[in-house]
Amino acid sequence: MASDRVPGAPRHTLLVLAHPRQDSLTAQAAVRLRDELKSRGGDVDVLDLYAEGFDPRLTPVDEPDWEHRDKQYSDEVHAHMDRIAAADDIVVVFPVWWFSVPAVLKGWIDRVWNYGFAYGRGTPRLAGKRMVWLGLAGSSREHYETSGLGATMDLQLRVGVSEFCGIEDARVQVLYGAELSGVAEHRRPERVRHLLDEAQDAIAHL
């Protein structure tokens, strides 16, 4: 657990990517963050949900049992739990689809952040970790702020997942204007560089 780490030891980050294309801007952001974290001397475990073939469907074997919090879930889920438990920091990089996370990421939360592991104990097992949710959204900041959709996503992820599971040092960072189809081609490289710089800034505190 994060609280057992040796002071001054290199931090271990679980970097979760949830995008089907390796050439996507989301994947590029994940690469930038991986390289930045490694440049600091940290250790990074990259969990690419699509590349690893993670199945987001919740089946009875991984359904929480409210009467048995020590239920043994599937081997796949326990392997993912081990990767979460080993991390000091968790960074999740995803495209914002329908003003929320992709289905594969929602399924990862449903199956892995499960009762008895991520929540349901007097002393949260994930307490002391730090977490960043980094979403890439096509629309503008103004659209998210005036509609309340940004606040809704923050409430859902930061409070509804991270804080609910004992991770108090958590934040949701959205990179707005990530849809490049409306950007003139000659301006796209500059726009991409700006967004990747924003992505790196999002983990400056880790």
Side-chain angles (χ1 to χ4, degrees):
M1 294 177 63
S3 58
D4 296 329
R5 68 186 304 273
V6 177
R11 297 191 71 83
H12 178 70
T13 302
L14 177 64
L15 178 60
V16 183
L17 171 61
H19 198 289
R21 288 188 295 105
Q22 294 297 315
D23 63 348
S24 66
L25 183 55
T26 305
Q28 292 179 57
V31 169
R32 170 69 77 89
L33 299 188
R34 179 203 64 194
D35 293 347
E36 167 63 16
L37 291 165
K38 285 187 173 182
S39 74
R40 304 178 190 173
D43 180 48
V44 183
D45 174 12
V46 178
L47 169 53
D48 185 331
L49 293 172
Y50 280 97
E52 295 192 17
F54 180 78
D55 187 348
R57 296 173 299 176
L58 179 66
T59 59
V61 68
D62 291 322
E63 185 178 3
D65 185 340
W66 309 116
E67 296 183 352
H68 302 284
R69 71 177 185 184
D70 293 317
K71 172 183 176 176
Q72 289 297 303
Y73 298 104
S74 66
D75 290 343
E76 181 184 26
V77 161
H78 278 289
H80 280 257
M81 288 176 174
D82 289 344
R83 293 169 78 173
I84 293 172
D88 299 304
D89 304 319
I90 303 168
V91 179
V92 184
V93 186
F94 62 95
V96 178
W97 290 344
W98 289 103
F99 311 105
S100 186
V101 300
V104 70
L105 181 52
K106 179 58 166 63
W108 184 67
I109 298 167
D110 288 345
R111 289 186 65 197
V112 180
W113 292 64
N114 215 326
Y115 177 65
F117 168 68
Y119 66 97
R121 294 183 180 274
T123 300
R125 288 181 166 178
L126 306 186
K129 298 183 187 297
R130 302 183 304 191
M131 189 165 189
V132 175
W133 301 86
L134 183 66
L136 284 79
S139 299
S140 67
R141 178 187 299 272
E142 291 73 21
H143 175 68
Y144 275 79
E145 288 181 349
T146 58
S147 65
L149 291 167
T152 298
M153 191 159 56
D154 177 78
L155 185 66
Q156 176 191 15
L157 299 176
R158 180 179 57 81
V159 179
V161 179
S162 297
E163 291 188 3
F164 182 73
C165 295
I167 303 176
E168 297 181 358
D169 188 347
R171 65 177 64 183
V172 176
Q173 181 75 39
V174 179
L175 307 185
Y176 301 99
E179 174 54 58
L180 301 178
S181 61
V183 179
E185 286 194 19
H186 71 282
R187 294 186 178 277
R188 291 181 187 180
E190 179 183 359
R191 181 61 182 156
V192 168
R193 285 194 296 271
H194 175 73
L195 288 167
L196 294 181
D197 287 345
E198 279 193 292
Q200 185 170 322
D201 289 344
I203 62 165
H205 70 294
L206 293 182

